[in-house]
Amino acid sequence: MKVNFNLNNKKVSIDVDPMKRLLDILREDFGLLGTKEGCGEGECGACTVLMDGKPVTSCLVNACHLEGKTILTVEAIAKEPIGKLLIDCFDETNAVQCGFCFPGFLVSSYYFLISDGEQNLDKIKEALSGNICRCTGYQKIFESVMLACKKKQLYSHRFSLIHPVR
Ligand code: FES
Ligand code: FES
């Protein structure tokens, strides 16, 4: 089937098996390798992207659900001012632990910052509860998102022109 959707702020069109997973479409058809596969069952959050502005696990979204949708992947988020702020904070707190879980954590953290952004540990834990690290732990990640919330508030004038993700 032919599917038209918006991918990282560009209109795209693809002829694809209706059941092909968005995760595979991103990686195989568009070469967007930042989105990772962990569990493949919607449990780990490694494959998180934003669909119509909300986090979804791309391993559970099929091509037949994509028509007219807006998808934002970690590649686009990393170029947004809030995405860059988060990456800086992850760096500063040494929270980048591995390439498998990090993209998903970044997407979920980005969504938290644009949708709420309160420097509140419980809220951050809740926002990242769908992202699993199987090895190192969450403390540094929570610290980095707390720091990003603080910096976003401190320098809010720099982020005031950002358009919310639709
Ligand atoms: S790979 Fe999609 S949630 Fe784990
Ligand atoms: S799974 Fe990535 S650091 Fe643990």
Side-chain angles (χ1 to χ4, degrees), residues 21 23 36-48 56-60 130 134:
R21 304 178 307 171
L23 170 63
K36 298 293 191 287
E37 175 157 17
C39 64
E41 296 176 351
E43 298 293 334
C44 74
C47 66
T48 304
V56 295
T57 46
S58 61
C59 65
L60 296 186
R134 289 189 163 81

Side-chain angles (χ1 to χ4, degrees), residues 67-83:
E67 181 66 32
K69 300 290 186 195
T70 296
I71 304 296
L72 212 60
T73 71
V74 67
E75 284 86 353
I77 286 170
K79 292 180 188 155
E80 295 275 341
I82 295 283

